Coordinates of all heavy atoms in Angstrom, one line a residue:
G4 N 54.4 -27.4 -75.5 CA 54.7 -28.1 -76.8 C 54.6 -29.6 -76.6 O 54.8 -30.1 -75.5
I5 N 54.1 -30.3 -77.6 CA 53.9 -31.7 -77.5 C 55.3 -32.4 -77.1 O 56.3 -32.0 -77.5 CB 53.4 -32.4 -78.8 CG1 54.4 -32.1 -80.0 CG2 52.0 -31.9 -79.1 CD1 54.0 -32.9 -81.2
P6 N 55.2 -33.4 -76.2 CA 56.4 -34.1 -75.8 C 57.1 -34.7 -77.1 O 56.5 -35.1 -78.0 CB 55.9 -35.2 -74.9 CG 54.6 -34.7 -74.4 CD 54.0 -33.9 -75.5
G7 N 58.4 -34.8 -77.0 CA 59.2 -35.3 -78.1 C 60.7 -35.1 -77.8 O 61.1 -34.4 -76.9
A8 N 61.5 -35.6 -78.8 CA 62.9 -35.4 -78.7 C 63.3 -34.0 -79.0 O 62.7 -33.3 -79.8 CB 63.6 -36.4 -79.6
G9 N 64.4 -33.5 -78.4 CA 64.9 -32.2 -78.7 C 64.1 -31.1 -78.1 O 63.1 -31.3 -77.4
L10 N 64.4 -29.8 -78.4 CA 63.7 -28.7 -77.9 C 62.6 -28.3 -78.8 O 62.8 -28.3 -80.0 CB 64.7 -27.5 -77.7 CG 65.8 -27.7 -76.7 CD1 66.7 -26.5 -76.6 CD2 65.3 -28.1 -75.3
A11 N 61.5 -27.9 -78.2 CA 60.4 -27.4 -79.0 C 60.7 -26.0 -79.6 O 61.5 -25.2 -78.9 CB 59.1 -27.3 -78.2
D12 N 60.2 -25.6 -80.7 CA 60.3 -24.2 -81.2 C 59.0 -23.7 -81.5 O 57.9 -24.3 -81.1 CB 61.2 -24.2 -82.4 CG 60.7 -24.9 -83.6 OD1 59.4 -25.2 -83.7 OD2 61.4 -25.3 -84.6
E13 N 58.9 -22.5 -82.1 CA 57.6 -21.8 -82.3 C 56.7 -22.5 -83.2 O 55.5 -22.3 -83.2 CB 57.9 -20.4 -82.8 CG 58.4 -19.4 -81.8 CD 59.9 -19.5 -81.5 OE1 60.6 -20.4 -82.2 OE2 60.5 -18.8 -80.7
E14 N 57.2 -23.5 -84.0 CA 56.3 -24.3 -84.9 C 55.8 -25.6 -84.3 O 55.0 -26.2 -84.9 CB 57.1 -24.6 -86.2 CG 57.6 -23.3 -86.9 CD 56.5 -22.3 -87.2 OE1 55.4 -22.8 -87.7 OE2 56.8 -21.1 -87.0
T15 N 56.3 -25.9 -83.1 CA 55.9 -27.2 -82.5 C 54.5 -27.1 -82.1 O 54.1 -26.2 -81.4 CB 56.8 -27.5 -81.2 OG1 58.2 -27.5 -81.6 CG2 56.4 -28.8 -80.6
P16 N 53.6 -28.1 -82.4 CA 52.2 -28.1 -82.0 C 52.1 -28.2 -80.5 O 53.0 -28.7 -79.8 CB 51.7 -29.4 -82.6 CG 52.6 -29.7 -83.8 CD 54.0 -29.3 -83.3
L17 N 51.0 -27.7 -80.0 CA 50.8 -27.7 -78.5 C 50.1 -29.0 -78.1 O 49.5 -29.7 -78.9 CB 49.9 -26.5 -78.1 CG 50.5 -25.1 -78.5 CD1 49.5 -24.0 -78.0 CD2 51.9 -24.9 -77.9
S18 N 50.2 -29.3 -76.8 CA 49.8 -30.5 -76.2 C 48.3 -30.5 -75.9 O 47.8 -30.5 -74.8 CB 50.5 -30.8 -74.9 OG 51.9 -31.0 -75.2
L19 N 47.5 -30.4 -77.0 CA 46.0 -30.3 -76.8 C 45.4 -31.5 -76.3 O 44.2 -31.5 -75.9 CB 45.4 -29.9 -78.2 CG 46.0 -28.6 -78.8 CD1 45.3 -28.4 -80.2 CD2 45.8 -27.4 -77.9
D20 N 46.0 -32.7 -76.4 CA 45.5 -34.0 -75.9 C 46.3 -34.6 -74.8 O 46.3 -35.8 -74.6 CB 45.4 -34.9 -77.1 CG 44.5 -34.4 -78.2 OD1 43.4 -34.0 -78.0 OD2 45.0 -34.5 -79.4
A21 N 46.9 -33.7 -74.0 CA 47.7 -34.2 -72.9 C 46.8 -34.5 -71.7 O 45.6 -34.7 -71.8 CB 48.8 -33.2 -72.5
S22 N 47.4 -34.6 -70.5 CA 46.7 -34.8 -69.3 C 45.7 -33.6 -69.1 O 45.8 -32.6 -69.7 CB 47.6 -34.9 -68.1 OG 48.5 -33.7 -68.0
P23 N 44.6 -33.8 -68.2 CA 43.5 -32.9 -68.2 C 43.8 -31.4 -68.1 O 43.4 -30.6 -68.9 CB 42.6 -33.4 -67.1 CG 42.9 -34.9 -67.0 CD 44.4 -35.0 -67.4
A24 N 44.6 -31.1 -67.0 CA 44.8 -29.6 -66.8 C 45.8 -29.1 -67.8 O 45.7 -27.9 -68.2 CB 45.4 -29.4 -65.4
V25 N 46.8 -29.9 -68.2 CA 47.7 -29.4 -69.2 C 47.0 -29.2 -70.6 O 47.2 -28.2 -71.2 CB 48.8 -30.5 -69.4 CG1 49.7 -30.1 -70.6 CG2 49.7 -30.6 -68.2
A26 N 46.1 -30.1 -70.9 CA 45.4 -30.0 -72.2 C 44.5 -28.7 -72.1 O 44.4 -28.0 -73.1 CB 44.5 -31.2 -72.5
A27 N 43.8 -28.5 -71.0 CA 43.0 -27.3 -70.9 C 43.8 -26.0 -71.0 O 43.3 -25.1 -71.7 CB 42.3 -27.4 -69.5
D28 N 44.9 -26.0 -70.4 CA 45.8 -24.8 -70.6 C 46.3 -24.6 -72.0 O 46.4 -23.5 -72.5 CB 46.9 -24.8 -69.6 CG 46.5 -24.3 -68.2 OD1 45.4 -23.8 -68.0 OD2 47.3 -24.5 -67.2
A29 N 46.7 -25.7 -72.6 CA 47.2 -25.7 -74.0 C 46.1 -25.2 -74.9 O 46.3 -24.4 -75.8 CB 47.7 -27.1 -74.4
R30 N 44.8 -25.6 -74.7 CA 43.7 -25.2 -75.5 C 43.5 -23.7 -75.3 O 43.1 -22.9 -76.2 CB 42.5 -26.0 -75.2 CG 42.6 -27.5 -75.7 CD 41.3 -28.2 -75.5 NE 41.4 -29.6 -75.7 CZ 41.3 -30.5 -74.7 NH1 41.0 -30.0 -73.5 NH2 41.5 -31.8 -74.9
L31 N 43.6 -23.2 -74.0 CA 43.4 -21.8 -73.7 C 44.4 -21.0 -74.5 O 44.1 -20.0 -75.1 CB 43.5 -21.6 -72.2 CG 43.5 -20.2 -71.7 CD1 42.2 -19.4 -72.1 CD2 43.7 -20.1 -70.2
V32 N 45.7 -21.4 -74.4 CA 46.8 -20.7 -75.0 C 46.6 -20.7 -76.6 O 46.7 -19.7 -77.2 CB 48.1 -21.4 -74.7 CG1 49.2 -20.9 -75.7 CG2 48.5 -21.1 -73.3
S33 N 46.2 -21.8 -77.1 CA 45.9 -21.9 -78.5 C 44.8 -20.9 -79.0 O 45.0 -20.3 -80.0 CB 45.5 -23.4 -78.9 OG 45.3 -23.5 -80.3
E34 N 43.8 -20.8 -78.2 CA 42.7 -19.9 -78.5 C 43.1 -18.5 -78.4 O 42.8 -17.7 -79.4 CB 41.4 -20.2 -77.6 CG 40.3 -19.3 -77.9 CD 39.7 -19.3 -79.3 OE1 40.0 -20.3 -80.0 OE2 39.0 -18.3 -79.6
I35 N 43.7 -18.1 -77.4 CA 44.1 -16.6 -77.2 C 45.1 -16.2 -78.3 O 45.1 -15.1 -78.8 CB 44.5 -16.3 -75.8 CG1 45.8 -17.0 -75.4 CG2 43.4 -16.5 -74.8 CD1 46.4 -16.6 -74.1
E36 N 46.0 -17.2 -78.6 CA 47.0 -16.8 -79.7 C 46.3 -16.8 -81.0 O 46.6 -15.9 -81.9 CB 48.1 -17.9 -79.7 CG 49.0 -17.8 -78.5 CD 50.2 -18.8 -78.7 OE1 50.3 -19.5 -79.7 OE2 51.1 -18.8 -77.7
R37 N 45.3 -17.7 -81.3 CA 44.6 -17.7 -82.6 C 43.9 -16.3 -82.8 O 44.0 -15.7 -83.8 CB 43.6 -18.8 -82.6 CG 42.9 -18.9 -84.0 CD 41.7 -19.8 -83.9 NE 40.7 -19.3 -83.0 CZ 39.8 -18.3 -83.2 NH1 39.9 -17.7 -84.4 NH2 38.9 -17.9 -82.4
R38 N 43.2 -15.9 -81.7 CA 42.4 -14.7 -81.8 C 43.4 -13.5 -82.2 O 43.0 -12.6 -83.0 CB 41.8 -14.3 -80.5 CG 40.6 -15.3 -80.1 CD 40.0 -14.8 -78.8 NE 38.9 -15.7 -78.4 CZ 38.2 -15.4 -77.3 NH1 38.5 -14.4 -76.5 NH2 37.2 -16.3 -76.9
L39 N 44.5 -13.5 -81.5 CA 45.5 -12.4 -81.8 C 46.1 -12.4 -83.1 O 46.1 -11.4 -83.9 CB 46.5 -12.4 -80.7 CG 47.7 -11.3 -80.8 CD1 47.1 -9.9 -80.8 CD2 48.7 -11.5 -79.7
L40 N 46.6 -13.6 -83.5 CA 47.4 -13.7 -84.7 C 46.6 -13.7 -86.0 O 47.1 -13.4 -87.0 CB 48.3 -15.0 -84.6 CG 49.3 -15.0 -83.4 CD1 50.0 -16.3 -83.4 CD2 50.2 -13.8 -83.5
E41 N 45.3 -14.0 -85.8 CA 44.4 -13.9 -87.0 C 43.8 -12.5 -87.2 O 43.0 -12.3 -88.1 CB 43.3 -14.9 -86.9 CG 43.8 -16.4 -87.0 CD 42.7 -17.4 -87.0 OE1 41.5 -17.0 -86.8 OE2 43.0 -18.6 -87.1
T42 N 44.2 -11.6 -86.3 CA 43.7 -10.2 -86.4 C 44.6 -9.4 -87.4 O 45.8 -9.3 -87.2 CB 43.8 -9.5 -85.0 OG1 43.0 -10.2 -84.1 CG2 43.3 -8.0 -85.1
S43 N 44.0 -9.0 -88.5 CA 44.7 -8.5 -89.6 C 45.1 -7.0 -89.5 O 46.1 -6.6 -90.2 CB 44.0 -8.7 -90.9 OG 42.7 -8.0 -90.9

C-alpha cells in the first residue's frame, strides 16, 4: 500500500511508483489481482 498515515485497507492504492523492486512487485500484484477480479 502507498505510504501514508494510519493503516492501509483493501481500498488503499498500491505503491506502483515506489523504489524499483517494490514498484515491480506492486505492479505484479496489481496485474494478477486485476486478472482474477475482472473474471466474471
